[in-house]
Amino acid sequence: MPTAPASSLSRRLYPLLFVLVLTTTALAVRIATTTRPNSHPDEFVHADAFCYYERHWWPPPLNADGLRYSPYGWSRVYGGEVVYILYGQAGRLLKPVLGEGGLLHRTPIITGDSRLFLPLVLDSNVCVLDYRLYRLLNCLLWVVTLTTLLVLGRRHTVILALALLLCSLPQVVYLYSYANSDAWAVTTASLLFAYAWTQRAHPFGSPRDAILFGTLTGLLLLSKQTLWVSLPFSLAVWLLRSDFPPLHTLQGIGTIARGLAIAALMALVIVLPLHMIYPATQPEYARQVEEMREQRARWDLRPSAPVYPGYRLAARGVPLRAALTPDWVTMSLESFYGRFGPLDVRLPDWMYPTAGILLALSAGTTVVGAFRNRRRWVWQNQLLLGLTPVALLLPVAASLYNSWVVDWQPQGRYLYAALLPLALLMAGHASGEARRLRRLRVLLWALLLGLSHYALLIAFVTGHALR
């Protein structure tokens, strides 16, 4: 199946695109080093999980003391996300090297009763959080992610569009500037999609390709659950862009089945320890989780008698349609583009519709180009383009379901699985488009990138947000 190369204009200017790595990384580092500790969503509990895994390789028993629990009675060490182990062990190695020369935010945290304030005794039960270290690890992850996508994007327009899209959303750059696990999830989802798009051989007949796809799938399943819904689209890309063996023979069917089985087995092996073995070591795992939440949660968020508005709406008998309000739609879309901190740092009102119009126009150029050049699009690309509306709506449906079943939280970071189909929708088919359409696309990308940089500048450089 042919791959659309980058347009001639983008080939001439392609080296300049790596300036995006420098400018966006500079902005992310600026946010990481100037904003105050725990001023970002759930950063405190994220950092506590990183700190725990500096000294451990395995989750503690459920409801363990010495951890920081969220208002919902949950600690991030139990989430089965491998990034906490990786960053924790990296922190263990880097802290002695970096020292205390002003680079790190060294914040002592008593890991016992959260109501205990003084006296502060520094002993083995005290976790010393280095917020800047964890933040800068995410900044490094941003460099690796963006550079990888830009290198692959030189030959694959869709991957280039994904890299540009990540830079065009201020919220994504912001996500890589503080301590969290969401950035790792965006990276794993992006790399899985990039591999699925760029592989050219016979993955079903190549155990190596199937093992690699299974490994990336396993890493995605060891990431934040909000990005799991990106897996079906990446799987569809992997299948549709593969050279299938003959389907009318038993040998061809067996080859496909073997490739899928190898990938599934590899993914299973990777997720087995944290997602299966650990829960099996905790007797009556689901009951213990509920008891932990009951004991550790804030009084108005206890499962037995939740009184916090929006919490566990389904259990209260509230219909699903009640969760889908105009405020839910507005806050989800705005925070998908850029609402920072605990969603209280907004950009100027005009930026949100402007960004929405630019994104819609960019996607519209693809629709127009696909219609005009429909005969030049192979059926696999046509089918993938047809699947994009479903792939876009799936994260929205998952986020809405979470707001209904768990807590009413219209947050744009829950929608980032939509970045992959959106990149396909905004990439077009550069080799088959008219020159005017390609120039319009380049102009729209330039406006989106400029708007994103301006948004981060006025929020965190000249605006001094979250200082």
Side-chain angles (χ1 to χ4, degrees), residues 91-105:
R92 179 179 64 85
L93 297 175
L94 289 173
K95 282 182 179 180
V97 177
L98 297 177
E100 301 185 37
L103 175 64
L104 305 179
H105 278 309

Side-chain angles (χ1 to χ4, degrees), residues 50 53-55 85-101 103-104 106 128 130-141:
F50 293 137
Y53 283 111
E54 288 179 11
R55 297 165 293 170
I85 301 176
L86 297 177
Y87 277 24
Q89 292 300 314
R92 179 179 64 85
L93 297 175
L94 289 173
K95 282 182 179 180
V97 177
L98 297 177
E100 301 185 37
L103 175 64
L104 305 179
R106 302 188 63 80
V128 178
D130 293 329
Y131 280 92
R132 283 187 178 175
L133 172 59
Y134 307 128
R135 292 175 177 183
L136 292 175
L137 285 174
N138 263 347
C139 292
L140 177 61
L141 181 65

Side-chain angles (χ1 to χ4, degrees), residues 124 174 190 200 203 240 256-257 262 301 355 380 397 403 426 448 452 460 467:
S124 60
Y174 170 68
S190 299
R200 305 298 309 149
L240 290 173
I256 295 175
I262 291 174
L301 292 170
Q380 294 98 324
S403 286
M426 296 177 66
L448 280 168
S452 175
F460 294 103
R467 293 294 183 87

Side-chain angles (χ1 to χ4, degrees), residues 62-92:
L62 288 172
N63 203 18
D65 293 327
L67 300 174
R68 280 287 162 159
Y69 292 86
S70 72
Y72 301 94
W74 180 255
S75 170
R76 298 282 178 173
V77 301
Y78 300 120
E81 298 179 59
V82 74
V83 63
Y84 293 115
I85 301 176
L86 297 177
Y87 277 24
Q89 292 300 314
R92 179 179 64 85

Side-chain angles (χ1 to χ4, degrees), residues 6 15 17 21 36 43 149 162 181 212 226 230 251 347 363 372:
L17 292 179
V21 180
R36 63 182 181 272
E43 189 175 33
L149 294 178
L162 178 58
S181 65
L212 183 53
T226 53
S230 68
Q251 182 180 3
L347 296 171
R372 290 181 175 179

Side-chain angles (χ1 to χ4, degrees), residues 109-123:
I109 296 178
I110 299 176
T111 57
D113 190 338
S114 61
R115 293 167 294 182
L116 180 63
F117 296 98
L118 292 175
L120 177 61
V121 181
L122 294 178
D123 59 18

